[in-house]
Amino acid sequence: MATNTAKINWKLSLIAGLVAGGALGAGAQYYNNVPDNQAYKALQAEHQTLLAELDHEKTLAKQLTEEKTQLMSDSTQKLTELNQQLDTQKKQLLALNQQLETIQKQQAQVKKKQQEQAKKLVVTKKKLDKEVVALKTQTKQQKEVIDNSSQLFEQKAKLQSELAAAQKVTADLKVQSKKSKKACDEFKSGDSWNWVSQKDCDKYNAQQVEVSKAEAKEMKLKQALAELNKKIGAQ
């Protein structure tokens, strides 16, 4: 964003210079009685072109800011949802532990009455032992799911953050590449008033390579995120 702002300030300075230069040129022509309407109109046209380009740059800057804000908002919302899911699973695990403690207390009470209810205790003890084993197994399984889910959700949040950053880099590179392409096209046309050269075309070609790399990285992150979502859904 700082680069775009610097470029916009530069263009504002250029436009001011053109306007001031146009005014001085017009004054000189007036006093020398050598009007050059064609040059004046050309200058006016260039002035309008620069103004239009400035408006376009402002629109692009605003759009990028809005996209970044939206991406940050989406990431925050999704992370909040994931944290809520984790809280729910932790509460479920706590409830299972409480059930296990309750059954263990019941088992202890039954043992105290062992002499009075020997026959009944055998049946009850076996039943309670089975319930304890089942609950321990369930608690262990639930804990493993929560531990795995916690890791997966953290990995997902990291991938989402990296994807948002990669998308921002790709968008910025495309904006810069578009400007370089315009300069290169002007150079190739051979009739540009601007200071353009083969360097602009070389710069454009190099930026295209960077755009391709950024898009490849973005696609790789999207695929990784899709695979991770499938894995989370299977939990």
Side-chain angles (χ1 to χ4, degrees), residues 33-212:
N33 294 320
V34 186
D36 191 353
N37 290 332
Q38 185 176 1
Y40 178 74
K41 289 180 179 179
L43 186 59
Q44 273 191 322
E46 293 294 341
H47 178 216
Q48 293 301 323
T49 299
L50 286 172
L51 287 177
E53 187 177 351
L54 177 60
D55 289 339
H56 178 67
E57 293 294 335
K58 287 182 178 178
T59 300
L60 282 177
K62 181 180 179 183
Q63 181 180 354
L64 288 173
T65 300
E66 291 173 351
E67 288 176 356
K68 180 180 178 182
T69 301
Q70 184 62 42
L71 285 171
M72 291 178 65
S73 176
D74 291 345
S75 297
T76 301
Q77 181 179 355
K78 289 178 181 178
L79 184 59
T80 300
E81 292 174 358
L82 292 175
N83 287 333
Q84 290 175 348
Q85 292 177 7
L86 284 174
D87 290 340
T88 300
Q89 290 181 334
K90 288 179 180 178
K91 290 179 181 178
Q92 292 175 350
L93 178 60
L94 179 61
L96 288 173
N97 287 332
Q98 291 175 345
Q99 291 178 15
L100 179 60
E101 290 176 1
T102 300
I103 290 177
Q104 289 174 338
K105 290 179 181 179
Q106 291 175 353
Q107 188 178 26
Q109 292 174 357
V110 170
K111 287 182 179 179
K112 289 181 181 180
K113 297 179 181 179
Q114 197 171 29
Q115 292 179 351
E116 299 175 359
Q117 302 177 344
K119 293 182 180 181
K120 185 177 180 180
L121 179 60
V122 172
V123 177
T124 303
K125 184 178 182 299
K126 288 181 179 180
K127 181 180 178 180
L128 289 174
D129 285 340
K130 288 181 180 179
E131 291 180 356
V132 169
V133 170
L135 281 172
K136 283 183 176 180
T137 301
Q138 185 178 1
T139 300
K140 182 179 179 181
Q141 292 174 345
Q142 187 70 17
K143 186 176 183 301
E144 290 176 352
V145 170
I146 289 175
D147 290 341
N148 291 336
S149 297
S150 177
Q151 268 185 342
L152 292 174
F153 290 145
E154 288 178 3
Q155 187 178 353
K156 181 176 181 178
K158 182 180 178 181
L159 279 176
Q160 286 174 332
S161 177
E162 290 178 354
L163 177 58
Q167 288 173 332
K168 176 66 169 56
V169 170
T170 301
D172 289 343
L173 286 173
K174 285 183 177 180
V175 171
Q176 296 171 10
S177 176
K178 186 176 180 181
K179 294 177 184 177
S180 296
K181 183 178 185 302
K182 181 178 180 182
C184 180
D185 290 342
E186 288 181 1
F187 170 68
K188 289 180 179 179
S189 68
D191 57 355
S192 173
W193 68 273
N194 199 2
W195 290 99
V196 293
S197 65
Q198 179 61 40
K199 289 184 179 179
D200 292 290
C201 294
D202 295 339
K203 182 178 180 181
Y204 170 68
N205 293 332
Q207 287 173 338
Q208 285 298 98
V209 173
E210 293 301 319
V211 168
S212 297

